Amino acid sequence: MTPDERVTDLLATFDAPGLVVADLLCDRHPVDQVAFTVVQPDLSPRDLTYGELAESSRRFAAALVAQGIEPGDRVATLMGKSADFVTTVLGIWRAGAVHVPLFTAFATPAIALRLAGAQAKLVVADAGQRAKLLPGDDLPAVVDWRVVVAGGAGEDGDLRLDRLLAETDPGRAPVVPVDGSAELVRLFTSGTTGTPKGVPIPVRALAAFVAYLDYGLDVSDDDVYWNAADPGWAFGLYYGIAAPLASGRRNILLQAGFSPETTWEVIRRLGVTNLAAAPTVFRTLRSADVPAPEGLRLRRATSAGEPLNPDMVSWGAQVLGCEIHDTYGQTELGMSIVNGWHDDVRRPVKPGSMGRPMPGWSAAVLGSDSDEAAAPGEQGRVAIDLAGSPLMWFTGYVDAPDKTAERFSPDGRWYHTGDAGRADEDGDFFFASRDDDVIIMAGYRIGPFEIESVLVADDRVAEAAVIGVPDELRGEVVEAFVVLAGGVEATEELGRELQQRVKTKLAAHLFPRAVHFVEELPKTPSGKIQRFHLRQARAEQVRSGS
């Protein structure tokens, strides 16, 4: 089957009338087939089969109906990676309701914003997360949702997940036919550039998610696949939960906290062959004083979430036994531009490149002030060509018409990602920055990522963020905020060495005019650096003359 034929087949499966989501994601798979391997905190594995998942999710779907949940209602989860989580999410979908993921690292204000924005009617929370839903400064005493507690007791009036599953007749589970446009998930953007916005994810998006599992990650039936991302965010939910269920391929869910030692041990014990994770995971494995175990079986390694530093590609080849392929996407798209692993799309990786449009997608770099394609090598705005992107599923934010209009060109031809980049003569795309992270200095448009990559390639640097700071002469100048590796002392001499490194490795005009050593960088709960906080603080300092 050609890639075009595969895309057509996926759309026929997931974008049609009369679809039963529970059948697509669970019931059509063999009952004894393993859906997930849940790795307990002590690293002991427990397999969860589709038969078990069908039984438990039927019980929860019936319980939701008994609580008055109707098709289209929003049900939120504040849960870690567990069998209870998968049961809950599939039960929500089986009932025809909409899943609202809440990241467990969220504080109460972030949770309250999303629950109110989604108009959630019920929240399922792990017992250890329940306190975040208590009334206080950020949550009123009277709310519109009921709480179900998983893994323990809750507050007075709470329901308990274990009792609901034990006491509910699975035969009372509803069967809810929908079409491909029906809302499956409402996921809020990370807030990298402003207030989080609700993204409605339809059933038809499953076609795009499975396509990435096929062409981006090349997950085969024989793979031991591990998507290490948290399902509270897009990459973990789309490709760690939804796509594996839709394609009948097992994923690993690790309940223990992240550490280099734990990561290496899971890869070794379970014989992981296909690993997908954020760049931070790979960078931490590289910088930690923990050697890789012998006998690794990895044949595929893929990065997503933020751009992968170019030097990590060769590190992967040397240590993991395979290069790390970078891929690009957004909450609103899923992954769309990739260094794909599948034989039908695989090509030599260019370090620093995020690859080419995946089958089912078409993209271009547009000029800075027009919707005409930029010349090869010229920095511009990364955009999705809707005329050539049958897998495109995003149509707009919930109750935010102005924000939606900003994303689409007036003629409906282009979706503007809000990211800056360039494409070379071969059609390979290179990320530069978010549009609002672009630094304009003396007429030069500078993306921070290349400079950050040069800085973090120095063993003494753990993390770096580069911003533009107002300058009377040049408009803006480059400055860097640097988190040093453990045991490294911050000195003026080190700052000068890092400046010279950028001059030597990149370009003289790109060197940071100041290097600020800091303990940590401002980030979203998902780990993305919020450069705009640094820009705002430095701009205020410049205005005040400090």
Side-chain angles (χ1 to χ4, degrees):
M1 186 180 296
T2 68
D4 286 346
E5 290 170 339
R6 175 61 171 157
V7 168
T8 299
D9 181 66
L10 288 170
L11 288 170
T13 301
F14 297 106
D15 190 16
L19 299 174
V20 177
V21 173
D23 181 62
L24 292 173
L25 300 185
C26 180
D27 300 348
R28 64 178 176 149
H29 303 311
V31 295
D32 59 349
Q33 183 175 324
V34 176
F36 295 93
T37 295
V38 180
V39 180
Q40 313 291 328
D42 64 359
L43 301 190
S44 61
R46 178 206 162 188
D47 287 339
L48 176 65
T49 68
Y50 280 103
E52 293 173 301
L53 190 52
E55 169 80 7
S56 60
S57 65
R58 285 191 179 102
R59 291 179 181 274
F60 187 61
L64 288 175
V65 173
Q67 293 300 317
I69 298 299
E70 300 178 351
D73 287 345
R74 271 76 66 191
V75 178
T77 58
L78 184 58
M79 306 173 75
K81 291 176 274 190
S82 65
D84 280 346
F85 172 75
V86 182
T87 289
T88 298
V89 172
L90 188 57
I92 292 169
W93 291 334
R94 192 180 287 278
V98 178
H99 175 218
V100 181
L102 300 172
F103 186 36
T104 54
F106 280 154
T108 298
I111 293 168
L113 182 151
R114 287 161 174 79
L115 290 176
Q119 297 180 313
K121 289 192 174 181
L122 189 140
V123 184
V124 185
D126 286 337
Q129 296 285 325
R130 179 61 179 90
K132 296 178 181 178
L133 300 172
L134 293 175
D137 293 339
D138 301 302
L139 275 178
V142 179
V143 295
D144 296 327
W145 55 82
R146 292 206 67 178
V147 177
V148 177
V149 176
E155 302 294 317
D156 289 343
D158 287 351
L159 302 168
R160 287 184 54 162
L161 181 62
D162 56 355
R163 292 178 180 171
L164 289 177
L165 296 180
E167 297 169 0
T168 305
D169 178 4
R172 301 181 67 86
V175 176
V176 184
V178 298
D179 62 31
S181 64
E183 190 175 3
L184 187 71
V185 176
R186 185 169 300 180
L187 182 57
F188 286 78
T189 58
S190 62
T192 303
T193 58
T195 302
K197 301 175 288 294
V199 177
I201 301 158
V203 174
R204 73 181 302 270
L206 292 168
F209 300 164
V210 174
Y212 176 70
L213 215 66
D214 288 350
Y215 293 106
L217 303 179
D218 189 35
V219 180
S220 70
D221 292 338
D222 297 329
D223 266 328
V224 178
Y225 170 57
W226 185 19
N227 181 317
D230 193 286
W233 294 101
F235 192 71
L237 181 65
Y238 297 174
Y239 308 110
I241 302 296
L245 286 172
S247 60
R249 294 191 173 109
R250 175 179 64 138
N251 184 29
I252 296 168
L253 300 178
L254 174 63
Q255 292 187 297
F258 170 77
S259 73
E261 295 86 352
T262 298
T263 302
W264 285 130
E265 187 62 13
V266 171
I267 292 172
R268 185 191 69 81
R269 283 196 192 187
L270 273 66
V272 173
T273 60
N274 197 316
L275 175 65
T280 302
V281 171
F282 294 111
R283 288 196 294 261
T284 303
L285 291 177
R286 182 186 67 172
S287 61
D289 189 22
V290 181
E294 296 182 359
L296 292 179
R297 298 176 53 207
L298 280 167
R299 69 179 194 92
R300 302 285 187 258
T302 308
S303 173
E306 278 198 285
L308 182 72
N309 309 95
D311 59 305
M312 293 301 300
V313 176
S314 57
W315 175 85
Q318 294 168 4
V319 177
L320 301 178
C322 60
E323 294 179 324
I324 304 172
H325 283 202
D326 197 12
T327 56
Y328 167 85
Q330 295 183 325
T331 300
E332 298 91 333
L333 302 173
M335 311 312 291
S336 53
I337 300 175
V338 304
N339 285 291
W341 274 110
H342 192 281
D343 287 343
D344 286 345
V345 298
R346 183 156 34 122
R347 300 166 54 258
V349 172
K350 297 178 181 178
S353 170
M354 56 194 189
R356 293 185 174 188
M358 194 173 70
W361 296 92
S362 179
V365 174
L366 304 179
S368 299
D369 51 9
S370 76
D371 284 343
E372 300 295 325
E378 178 184 341
Q379 184 167 303
R381 297 170 299 140
V382 178
I384 300 299
D385 182 355
L386 301 183
S389 302
L391 289 181
M392 177 64 169
W393 49 265
F394 175 71
T395 57
Y397 301 108
V398 177
D399 299 328
D402 292 343
K403 293 297 183 181
T404 296
E406 291 174 6
R407 284 294 192 214
F408 294 93
S409 62
D411 62 1
R413 168 71 184 277
W414 301 101
Y415 166 82
H416 301 295
T417 65
D419 290 330
R422 60 183 172 85
D424 65 13
E425 296 83 354
D426 298 326
D428 289 289
F429 284 69
F430 294 78
F431 180 88
S433 68
R434 291 286 306 175
D435 263 355
D436 54 5
D437 285 337
V438 170
I439 303 163
I440 302 178
M441 183 181 71
Y444 290 103
R445 291 176 60 84
I446 301 168
F449 178 65
E450 286 184 304
I451 304 173
E452 292 166 357
S453 294
V454 170
L455 292 170
V456 299
D458 189 301
D459 292 338
R460 297 169 294 182
V461 175
E463 291 186 296
V466 168
I467 64 168
V469 175
D471 180 81
E472 187 172 339
L473 179 62
R474 302 177 183 87
E476 288 184 306
V477 293
V478 176
E479 292 190 3
F481 289 77
V482 171
V483 178
L484 294 175
V488 178
E489 182 182 358
T491 64
E492 291 184 3
E493 177 61 24
L494 177 55
R496 288 191 291 269
E497 291 177 8
L498 294 175
Q499 289 174 318
Q500 185 60 42
R501 179 182 179 85
V502 175
K503 289 183 181 180
T504 303
K505 299 286 187 181
L506 201 54
H509 74 281
L510 298 182
F511 86 96
R513 267 54 179 184
V515 176
H516 307 278
F517 295 110
V518 294
E519 292 296 321
E520 60 182 6
L521 298 173
K523 296 179 181 178
T524 67
S526 63
K528 293 182 179 180
I529 296 172
Q530 295 177 306
R531 298 183 187 87
F532 72 92
H533 282 312
L534 298 173
R535 282 199 306 274
Q536 291 170 353
R538 282 294 289 133
E540 180 59 34
Q541 290 173 349
V542 169
R543 283 193 294 269
S544 64
S546 59

